[in-house]
Amino acid sequence: MSIFWDILYLLKRTPWDTGVTPPEIVAMLDSGRLKVGRALDLGCGTGTNAIYLAQHGFEVTAIDVSRRAIALARRKARAAHLAVRFERGDVSLMTRWVEAHTIEFAYDIGCLHSLSSEARRRYVDGLRSVMKPGAIYMLYAFGLVEGGPRGVSPDEVAARFADGFLVREVQHGDERGARPSAWYTLERV
């Protein structure tokens, strides 16, 4: 599966990789709700958001399946003179790189919705393990479209995260006016 993503990065067919940290992440940092500490970027791509958090004092572990994306992310972090731990691998196996109960802030901008059902289960189990009580998790995901590519519904998010998380906020939107999407903010309890 990683070769698929590597090819997309090689061909620069990565519309999700805007080089701009989403305003929802910026607003969360600006809100004062987060303590600076350890952060986890799931599906980090070329590292834009991991680098942004590191610039704001976070110790960041960032995971992506694409070798090409991770190589580009490491290059960007070096150029910015920042230490970010970039790991190439399956985000649903995050506990390989992150110790239990160490993460204050985790986020996923468009990764969970592309995983299989079994990988989604491992992913949520992993998050439950690595996040501290009171930690914040932000998820951006495409919604479901009949006959369309994978997505996740608000009901699925509520069900998958029911054990150990509270859904604090859901902001519905759409991607380029055509596909439903949402930002979910959850708290680890």
Side-chain angles (χ1 to χ4, degrees):
M1 183 68 167
S2 68
I3 193 151
F4 170 77
W5 299 106
D6 287 337
I7 290 169
L8 290 178
Y9 277 100
L10 185 64
L11 296 174
K12 298 183 179 170
R13 303 240 186 247
T14 55
W16 59 86
D17 190 21
T18 64
V20 176
T21 296
E24 292 82 359
I25 297 290
V26 173
M28 179 57 73
L29 264 64
D30 290 347
S31 74
R33 290 175 54 196
L34 292 177
K35 293 187 309 187
V36 173
R38 294 193 68 202
L40 177 61
D41 184 339
L42 296 158
C44 66
T46 62
T48 298
N49 305 307
I51 290 167
Y52 180 82
L53 262 71
Q55 289 169 329
H56 287 83
F58 284 84
E59 180 184 331
V60 185
T61 299
I63 305 168
D64 200 281
V65 71
S66 170
R67 280 177 172 40
R68 176 108 176 117
I70 290 294
L72 292 168
R74 287 177 177 152
R75 191 174 310 141
K76 285 169 56 175
R78 276 193 305 273
H81 305 290
L82 292 167
V84 176
R85 182 178 174 197
F86 290 104
E87 298 290 348
R88 201 222 43 100
D90 180 345
V91 296
S92 74
L93 303 174
M94 67 189 78
T95 56
R96 290 181 177 178
W97 302 284
V98 183
E99 293 178 33
H101 311 294
T102 59
I103 299 298
E104 279 92 12
F105 181 47
Y107 57 96
D108 171 340
I109 304 171
C111 187
L112 178 71
H113 63 228
S114 68
L115 300 177
S116 70
S117 182
E118 176 56 24
R120 291 178 189 193
R121 184 196 59 75
R122 286 192 313 266
Y123 175 110
V124 174
D125 288 348
L127 268 179
R128 194 178 300 111
S129 170
V130 303
M131 293 184 73
K132 289 181 173 182
I136 301 293
Y137 168 65
M138 291 183 73
L139 168 67
Y140 173 79
F142 289 142
L144 295 171
V145 176
E146 193 172 324
R150 289 186 180 152
V152 12
S153 70
D155 289 343
E156 179 182 355
V157 170
R160 284 198 183 273
F161 289 92
D163 180 19
F165 292 86
L166 291 175
V167 177
R168 293 293 188 193
E169 185 178 356
V170 180
Q171 294 176 297
H172 294 281
D174 58 68
E175 186 69 20
R176 293 181 209 90
R179 186 160 186 200
S181 64
W183 274 96
Y184 301 88
T185 302
L186 295 89
E187 181 181 343
R188 178 71 172 97
V189 293

